[in-house]
Amino acid sequence: MVRKFLYLSVLLSVFWIGFSNVAVASGDEDDKTGFIMHHVKDSHEWHFATFGHTHVTLPLPVIIYSSDRGLEIYKSSQFQNPETHLFGEDYAHNGYFIDEHDHLQSVDGRSFVDLSITKNVAMLFIVLAVVLWIILSAASHYKKSPGTAPKGAASFIEPIVVFVRDEIALPNIGHHKYKNFTPYLLTIFFFIWFGNLLGLFPGAANLTGNIAVTAVLAIFTLFVTNLNGNKDYWKHIFATPGVPKALLPILVPVEILGAFITKPAALMIRLFVAITAGHIVILSFIGLIFVFESYAVGLASTIMVVFINVIELLVATIQAYVFTLFSAMYIGQAVAEHEHH
Amino acid sequence: MDLIIPGSGLIVWQIIGFSILLFILAKFAWKPILSALDEREKSIEDALKSAEIARNEMANLKAENEKIIHEAKLERDEMLLKATETAKQIVENAREAAQVEGAKMIEAAKKAIDTEKQAAMEEVKVQVAALSLSIAEKVLRKNLADDTKQKALVEELIKDLKLN
């Protein structure tokens, strides 16, 4: 099962190997590695490259909701220096400014909700579009010509669908209920997988390595798990059977922590760390070139970048698998039919 | 924006985006895909099952055929055995009959030969007598052609008579 998965990853690696992650360092002489954290974090503008003093960027919409002023929409370029593309309080516009940490602030300290289409939100839309396009075009095959061998996108996703259903959902949830949860597991698998893979494109955003994204995915699994928890599941949390009554005051908080904090936190942090670390490693090797300014280091770094990229393709698939697998395990624990001891 | 502090906007967009994705895919993709897969797996399973049944039937038929062939072989062997025995019997009978007949024929032939021999002997006797007579006649005629010889003979005969 795992071997099948590795083969799949290797196949995909060969496919993606052409796209080594060539990020272009910022022209700032004093900050040769600042682009690393800049890439890894979210931003209000999508920065692609800098040639001399020309910044190639995509300004993104800044959407603000506040109770007194309602919905306001700006362009991120309205908050920055048109030459240097720097944000700051000096470039405040209509009572708002973006600080040096790329946070939207109000000049007078009013409270508001920042609903901007940031780089990661734009990336989210791209990932959603790609996932929808591929999966729906595969689904159309099954609607148009049912009962025939898969073709095109269907032949690409079918083995993965079967894998998620038979190797993740079925063994962890059990054959009574796995069919109810397979669509959810398939959706998180494909979302995370495509998010990871598209994030490896040069200039792409670090969507699945963003803690907000992984937190939301973990919370979805938390809700799916606990909304479907059966009597046994809750009994195991609040009155663990087979445990002396005196121990319950210790065990019950532990169980509650485990169910509501530890499990989603583990899911959230694992994906966030794995993807972000991969991006940082790749960009660090690229950063070495700018630090040493040597052809030899450039060559070695490029080889390492390609190598790490191939590993990242593996990690992209493994992390999607692991997130889906753990979600399935948590759901399986919540819906398991225990024999009563 | 900070690395480990989730951005509020991204959380909102992620919740909305992922919910939409989950809804659309569950309704328009996973449902038809999973049911199509189930259906196909079921039809494959059915096909395999019916193939298994057909194979079993074939095996049964084959076994039955073999049984029939085996029985036929046994029957044939038995028939052959019987036929051989019958043939032997017939040959034996024929031989015996032939022997009896042959013996009879030989007997008859012997008798016929005897009779023929007897007849021939008789004839030979007659012939010999006739021949002897004719020879004697010829001899006599020659010997008694002149008178001296006749006289000699008579004298001889008379001589004999005297002795008697």
Side-chain angles (χ1 to χ4, degrees):
Chain A
M1 149 184 65
V2 176
R3 197 186 295 164
K4 262 190 232 164
F5 215 83
L6 287 177
Y7 287 159
L8 194 69
S9 305
V10 170
L11 266 178
L12 284 161
S13 312
V14 173
F15 181 69
W16 295 113
I17 203 164
F19 305 99
S20 65
N21 202 337
V22 185
V24 176
S26 67
D28 195 358
E29 284 287 319
D30 305 321
D31 190 15
K32 284 169 176 164
T33 53
F35 73 95
I36 296 176
M37 291 320 279
H38 186 257
H39 163 82
V40 167
K41 290 181 194 170
D42 206 356
S43 170
H44 278 94
E45 71 166 355
W46 201 326
H47 177 266
F48 294 106
T50 304
F51 301 105
H53 290 289
T54 317
H55 294 270
V56 182
T57 60
L58 182 72
L60 297 165
V62 174
I63 302 169
I64 301 163
Y65 179 80
S66 51
S67 48
D68 50 340
R69 284 162 75 169
L71 204 64
E72 294 164 280
I73 299 174
Y74 304 101
K75 225 166 121 182
S76 69
S77 53
Q78 289 170 311
F79 297 94
Q80 66 189 174
N81 184 321
E83 286 295 315
T84 60
H85 281 243
L86 282 174
F87 295 114
E89 202 164 356
D90 300 343
Y91 309 107
H93 178 76
N94 232 349
Y96 299 103
F97 69 96
I98 298 172
D99 66 13
E100 61 271 22
H101 297 298
D102 229 316
H103 271 296
L104 190 68
Q105 311 251 12
S106 61
V107 175
D108 48 6
R110 286 168 48 247
S111 66
F112 61 92
V113 185
D114 178 8
L115 295 174
S116 304
I117 308 296
T118 58
K119 192 169 80 166
N120 275 333
V121 177
M123 188 69 191
L124 168 70
F125 293 157
I126 294 170
V127 172
L128 290 179
V130 170
V131 173
L132 280 175
W133 174 55
I134 290 179
I135 310 278
L136 287 179
S137 65
S140 75
H141 168 83
Y142 293 94
K143 280 184 208 151
K144 264 189 223 150
S145 42
T148 58
K151 257 187 190 171
S155 65
F156 168 61
I157 70 149
E158 188 181 305
I160 304 165
V161 172
V162 171
F163 176 82
V164 171
R165 188 192 60 180
D166 293 348
E167 309 290 347
I168 297 177
L170 180 59
N172 291 303
I173 300 177
H175 62 277
H176 287 300
K177 291 194 169 156
Y178 79 100
K179 279 189 177 163
N180 299 344
F181 300 102
T182 310
Y184 173 70
L185 295 173
L186 283 167
T187 310
I188 49 172
F189 180 85
F190 277 98
F191 177 79
I192 295 172
W193 192 39
F194 279 106
N196 291 346
L197 289 178
L198 292 175
L200 287 174
F201 271 95
N206 179 25
L207 177 69
T208 42
N210 187 293
I211 199 145
V213 173
T214 61
V216 169
L217 291 173
I219 288 164
F220 264 89
T221 293
L222 175 76
F223 273 102
V224 171
T225 306
N226 287 300
L227 290 180
N228 290 289
N230 59 17
K231 229 200 273 170
D232 283 330
Y233 172 70
W234 294 114
K235 215 169 120 192
H236 271 261
I237 291 176
F238 291 109
T240 320
V243 172
K245 283 234 153 61
L247 278 180
L248 282 182
I250 305 168
L251 258 181
V252 168
V254 170
E255 287 282 345
I256 291 171
L257 267 177
F260 297 107
I261 309 289
T262 319
K263 283 175 180 176
L267 285 179
M268 171 181 83
I269 292 168
R270 187 186 301 112
L271 182 58
F272 158 69
V273 163
I275 303 306
T276 301
H279 282 240
I280 290 175
V281 169
I282 290 173
L283 294 173
S284 300
F285 274 112
I286 291 168
L288 282 181
I289 304 170
F290 298 99
V291 171
F292 285 100
E293 291 178 347
S294 125
Y295 285 113
V297 172
L299 186 69
S301 279
T302 308
I303 292 167
M304 283 310 288
V305 165
V306 173
F307 174 65
I308 299 289
N309 244 303
V310 172
I311 289 179
E312 279 307 300
L313 293 167
L314 207 66
V315 170
T317 316
I318 290 170
Q319 287 304 322
Y321 167 66
V322 167
F323 196 105
T324 314
L325 179 72
F326 275 91
S327 295
M329 279 167 64
Y330 297 157
I331 294 168
Q333 285 165 8
V335 301
E337 303 284 345
H338 293 279
E339 318 89 72
H340 291 278
H341 337 260
Chain B
M1 287 184 186
D2 285 313
L3 193 57
I4 52 164
I5 296 169
S8 59
L10 186 52
I11 289 184
V12 172
W13 285 113
Q14 172 69 17
I15 290 171
I16 296 169
F18 189 74
S19 304
I20 292 170
L21 182 75
L22 189 58
F23 174 76
I24 293 179
L25 287 187
K27 189 153 187 202
F28 300 109
W30 303 133
K31 218 169 132 190
I33 289 174
L34 288 171
S35 67
L37 282 178
D38 275 348
E39 228 162 84
R40 196 195 306 151
E41 270 155 25
K42 217 179 141 215
S43 79
I44 288 170
E45 211 168 291
D46 286 350
L48 284 178
K49 246 183 220 162
S50 58
E52 180 68 33
I53 289 168
R55 201 181 308 139
N56 282 346
E57 259 170 31
M58 278 291 287
N60 281 349
L61 269 178
K62 216 176 158 191
E64 215 161 294
N65 278 352
E66 249 158 42
K67 208 174 130 197
I68 290 170
I69 288 169
H70 186 69
E71 273 170 12
K73 265 187 192 163
L74 279 182
E75 209 166 316
R76 186 198 62 185
D77 286 352
E78 212 172 309
M79 277 165 84
L80 268 178
L81 208 68
K82 259 188 202 165
T84 326
E85 260 170 35
T86 318
K88 257 188 204 164
Q89 195 72 38
I90 289 168
V91 168
E92 202 66 33
N93 288 351
R95 190 180 294 152
E96 264 168 37
Q99 266 173 352
V100 171
E101 195 69 19
K104 260 187 202 165
M105 275 167 80
I106 289 165
E107 200 66 28
K110 269 185 185 163
K111 264 185 193 162
I113 289 166
D114 274 352
T115 327
E116 287 294 307
K117 207 165 122 187
Q118 214 69 37
M121 288 296 271
E122 293 296 317
E123 193 147 332
V124 167
K125 274 181 189 166
V126 173
Q127 288 281 337
V128 166
L131 275 173
S132 308
L133 276 176
S134 75
I135 289 169
E137 197 187 311
K138 275 176 188 165
V139 168
L140 282 176
R141 266 194 200 142
K142 224 173 185 180
N143 284 352
L144 301 174
D146 49 55
D147 287 344
T148 49
K149 275 184 183 172
Q150 278 176 6
K151 269 175 191 171
L153 185 61
V154 172
E155 276 170 13
E156 207 180 303
L157 284 171
I158 292 163
K159 231 195 247 171
D160 283 348
L161 282 170
K162 276 173 183 169
L163 283 169
N164 282 339

